[in-house]
Amino acid sequence: MPCLICRDSKTIKAHLIPKAFAREVQVGKAHAVVRDSGEYADTQSGIWDRDILCRDCDNTIGKWEGGAKQSLDALRADAAGKPEGIHRLAGTRGDDIIRFLAALLWKYASTKPALGRIQLGPYRAILEDISFRGTPIHSSVNAVGFRLRREQGDDGVFAYRAPQFDRKSGINMVRLMVGGVVFFVKLDQRVPSDAIFREGGMAGQTDLPYWLAPAPMFEEFTRGRDLANRGELSLFLDRQAGLEPSK
């Protein structure tokens, strides 16, 4: 099939969540992809779609993905021993992380329904321009990130989460988790009235702002913890870790 961006080249296997982020949560030779229903499938490198991007266009957004991986690794190390609250990661531009998030959301807006397609309306084109063409970030697009820390000194990753719609303070957003950080991406002309975006909004920031919060405050941690400790998913994780199933 032709690439959805350049319309010319043959498409390749393009990962929706970049492979480097998917493999952060790998146990043994695979990791579990869990649906909202609680059902799961195992995979070695994450979810991919063969019908959306050619190699060159995939490489175009690869620079944002590679930079985001380095930045989020550094963010977790930076946050490991700090108090909860707002912090900044020196040397990481907020706009670069927004371009990474825009590319990821574009892929999910372009994939098949069975792979988790989300509907972005006019924002699909806006995010395409931001991520693939490097256009200035639209005033209606911004993001905040919450580093979820399980305990003091924690610099690890326990899960990722595909994008889904959310609404905070009356503002339309998309919520996702990669690299140990939950991101809320604002796709709305309105400006949030609370301090979360006022103090932690990434757009235009030369040093990346992020919030540090306890992991149990977020469903990304509590739902995964509950699923991992019961039923077939628990057995799968035991097998991947080389453990005997619980009796």
Side-chain angles (χ1 to χ4, degrees), residues 42-63:
D42 59 273
T43 173
Q44 293 185 354
S45 61
I47 301 173
W48 43 266
D49 192 328
R50 286 189 181 275
D51 300 323
I52 57 175
L53 290 173
C54 69
R55 187 176 306 277
D56 287 345
C57 291
D58 190 54
N59 286 340
T60 295
I61 58 173
K63 64 183 179 182

Side-chain angles (χ1 to χ4, degrees), residues 56-197:
D56 287 345
C57 291
D58 190 54
N59 286 340
T60 295
I61 58 173
K63 64 183 179 182
W64 305 126
E65 295 172 351
K69 178 66 170 66
Q70 292 181 2
S71 294
L72 296 184
D73 288 350
L75 186 153
R76 294 195 307 275
D78 185 67
K82 288 188 172 177
E84 295 163 11
I86 185 77
H87 301 283
R88 290 180 178 269
L89 182 65
T92 293
R93 299 189 336 142
D95 286 3
D96 290 348
I97 300 299
I98 291 177
R99 293 186 193 280
F100 157 68
L101 295 169
L104 197 155
L105 294 186
W106 179 90
K107 287 189 286 185
Y108 270 93
S110 304
T111 194
K112 304 172 182 66
L115 297 179
R117 180 195 295 169
I118 57 175
Q119 300 293 335
L120 295 182
Y123 281 98
R124 180 176 179 272
I126 292 172
L127 297 181
E128 181 177 313
D129 285 342
I130 289 172
S131 53
F132 288 93
R133 301 183 183 94
T135 59
I137 292 173
H138 197 274
S139 61
S140 63
V141 178
N142 203 344
V144 293
F146 287 82
R147 163 57 182 158
L148 306 194
R149 189 174 63 187
R150 290 165 291 186
E151 59 190 6
Q152 191 81 0
D154 172 28
D155 65 355
V157 179
F158 56 82
Y160 67 80
R161 189 177 192 183
Q164 65 174 41
F165 281 100
D166 205 340
R167 192 173 176 86
K168 302 293 184 188
S169 303
I171 304 296
N172 295 316
M173 302 185 189
V174 179
R175 174 184 192 143
L176 67 145
M177 182 178 185
V178 289
V181 178
V182 174
F183 292 98
F184 294 89
V185 184
K186 181 179 80 76
L187 303 176
D188 200 308
Q189 293 281 3
R190 293 166 292 184
V191 177
S193 58
D194 57 38
I196 298 300
F197 268 86

Side-chain angles (χ1 to χ4, degrees), residues 196-214:
I196 298 300
F197 268 86
R198 188 170 63 249
E199 298 179 28
M202 299 177 184
Q205 300 299 309
T206 55
D207 294 329
L208 181 71
Y210 69 91
W211 293 92
L212 176 59

Side-chain angles (χ1 to χ4, degrees), residues 11-32:
T11 53
I12 62 165
K13 185 169 73 173
H15 285 82
L16 301 183
I17 298 289
K19 186 188 299 184
F21 289 105
R23 286 184 169 170
E24 287 179 329
V25 299
Q26 189 162 306
V27 179
K29 296 183 178 180
H31 69 271

